[in-house]
Amino acid sequence: MKFKVSSTELLNHLQAISRVINSKNSLQILDNFLFSLEDNKLSMTASDIETTMITSMEVEEVEGSGKVAVSNKLLLDTLREFSDIPLTFEIDDETLAMVIKSENGNYNFIGQSGDMYPQLPVLDENVKDLKISAPVLLSGISKTFFCMADDELRPVMNGIYFDVNEDLTMVATDAHKLVRFKSNYIESSASEDESLNFILPKKPAMMLRSILPKETGDVEIKLDAKNAHFQLNNYVMVCRQVEGRYPNYNGVIPKNNPFQITLDRLTLQNALKRVSVFSNQASNLIKLDFSSNQVVISAQDIDFSISAEETIACGYDGEPIKIGFKSTFLIEMLANVDSNDVILELADPSRAGILLPAVNEEGEDILMLLMPMLLND
């Protein structure tokens, strides 16, 4: 088996899928990339059993075909040190000895049998289809990713929930904060009276977030009871869904919020960053005291006798209201909003606050929810 390839192009493909590989694997073969050569097409696979990424590229001067598993660390470390030059790979089909030849040297590897590499899971007969444009999928993942939990006791929270009805809804929550992203999908095989939903785990979501910026066109998703199959222009990803019932996210969103405040996003974000330095490090509690067209942001740490207070303008003409939030969560939410102004909707200090962009991106509807913290006063 023999082929010729650009070192930089090969490295770019391998780096994109290498994030799937765990630092410690239960199966030694998973420390490898799987190379499959057929005609002038080289397919490369990385897997951790639960998530598998495949990418392919065209190569030149091909002789033979077959598959071989190659050490991911050794290969990546070698390719990083090359400038963009052509490399020739020669693999002995019997001994699996591999030689990478450049203009100036030879680099010898020993591969493993490609037959030892885990097979892709086969989707069952009851497959559902969903097609989403790549920019919409990227936007949805990017704007919900930070809200996913890392909870061993409630694994359903450790992912992004896709809920497809008349529109596409993507939700992430860790029980303290929640993001609901709505947009349009292109087509779905679900019937009018049937919803299509699944939970995308955190690691595959991270993989999609890294490769989707380079993608154009549509993403085709095939779903069965256990797995999700994503077909992109340059990549294929197959992952196991998170099993379980996702919480009723609509049930926790307060509907009647009489207090509505408009704020400049960056002004609020920067003020929170300054004042939060003086908050208690354990709670990160920050108090927002709203009155006519202004908000007083304050924090204190009694243990160290430090405090801070800052007043900024806002659009509000209702009754005074005070509410406490965890500053790190609120700052994180503001960082994931694109709009220059945000709207904060409140009911009372004990109910969740709703954060909305004053202006949504075209075709998008974003809602963020943040649970309050108890104020001593």
Side-chain angles (χ1 to χ4, degrees), residues 123 198-200 221-224 226-230 237-241:
L123 299 179
F198 68 100
I199 305 172
L200 178 68
I221 307 171
K222 293 184 181 297
L223 306 160
D224 64 8
K226 292 185 177 180
N227 299 295
H229 181 286
F230 291 77
M237 185 181 80
V238 182
C239 66
R240 192 171 298 166
Q241 301 171 31

Side-chain angles (χ1 to χ4, degrees), residues 38-323:
E38 189 169 344
D39 298 327
N40 66 334
K41 181 181 177 182
L42 176 67
S43 297
M44 295 146 279
T45 303
S47 178
D48 68 355
I49 296 293
E50 293 197 347
T51 305
T52 301
M53 287 282 296
I54 304 170
T55 183
S56 59
M57 61 185 291
E58 291 189 356
V59 293
E60 301 174 345
E61 298 180 15
V62 176
E63 293 180 14
S65 62
K67 54 186 180 179
V68 62
V70 193
S71 166
N72 85 88
K73 186 178 186 307
L74 198 56
L75 188 54
L76 288 175
D77 288 349
T78 304
L79 291 173
R80 286 191 189 103
E81 303 308 320
F82 286 114
S83 55
D84 187 9
I85 61 169
L87 298 174
T88 300
F89 284 68
E90 294 183 1
I91 300 112
D92 187 305
D93 294 334
E94 293 184 3
T95 64
L96 300 178
M98 176 187 293
V99 182
I100 301 177
K101 294 183 177 181
S102 69
E103 288 183 353
N104 302 315
N106 297 332
Y107 309 88
N108 296 283
F109 296 71
I110 293 292
Q112 295 186 50
S113 171
D115 295 331
M116 296 169 59
Y117 210 81
Q119 298 282 323
L120 269 179
V122 178
L123 299 179
D124 63 32
E125 295 178 357
N126 300 317
V127 173
K128 296 179 181 178
D129 297 293
L130 175 65
K131 186 183 285 187
I132 307 172
S133 76
V136 167
L137 183 58
L138 173 61
S139 184
I141 291 174
S142 300
K143 290 171 181 173
T144 56
F145 190 88
F146 73 97
C147 259
M148 283 187 285
D150 193 6
D151 190 338
E152 292 182 3
L153 298 177
R154 293 179 292 181
V156 293
M157 311 279 271
N158 304 338
I160 299 173
Y161 180 60
F162 284 65
D163 191 8
V164 181
N165 292 288
E166 294 177 355
D167 50 25
L168 166 69
T169 303
M170 297 167 64
V171 181
T173 181
D174 62 2
H176 302 289
K177 56 188 185 293
L178 176 147
V179 176
R180 186 190 69 191
F181 170 93
K182 285 188 175 184
S183 189
N184 300 315
Y185 59 91
I186 296 169
E187 61 184 44
S188 165
S189 63
S191 59
E192 290 185 6
D193 58 346
E194 177 188 25
S195 64
L196 185 156
N197 49 64
F198 68 100
I199 305 172
L200 178 68
K202 181 177 287 188
K203 188 173 182 178
M206 179 183 70
M207 295 298 304
L208 287 170
R209 191 176 64 159
S210 69
I211 62 175
L212 279 168
K214 305 167 191 172
E215 289 285 317
T216 57
D218 303 331
V219 179
E220 295 184 13
I221 307 171
K222 293 184 181 297
L223 306 160
D224 64 8
K226 292 185 177 180
N227 299 295
H229 181 286
F230 291 77
Q231 178 70 58
L232 293 79
N233 286 340
N234 300 307
Y235 299 92
V236 173
M237 185 181 80
V238 182
C239 66
R240 192 171 298 166
Q241 301 171 31
V242 179
E243 295 184 21
R245 189 179 183 86
Y246 203 76
N248 177 15
Y249 60 90
N250 283 317
V252 302
I253 299 172
K255 300 296 186 290
N256 299 314
N257 304 292
F259 305 103
Q260 297 199 354
I261 305 114
T262 303
L263 300 123
D264 181 87
R265 182 179 65 85
L266 282 177
T267 301
L268 175 60
Q269 188 178 350
N270 291 332
L272 288 169
K273 286 179 179 178
R274 290 188 291 268
V275 175
S276 65
V277 173
F278 296 82
S279 65
N280 180 280
Q281 291 187 4
S283 67
N284 295 122
L285 171 63
I286 200 157
K287 183 170 75 174
L288 304 178
D289 188 351
F290 296 98
S291 56
S292 180
N293 292 324
Q294 71 173 29
V295 54
V296 179
I297 304 166
S298 60
Q300 63 176 341
D301 189 341
I302 297 173
D303 295 338
F304 292 93
S305 301
I306 59 174
S307 64
E309 182 180 290
E310 189 168 332
T311 303
I312 64 172
C314 67
Y316 179 63
D317 58 3
E319 297 178 6
I321 180 172
K322 297 178 184 178
I323 192 165

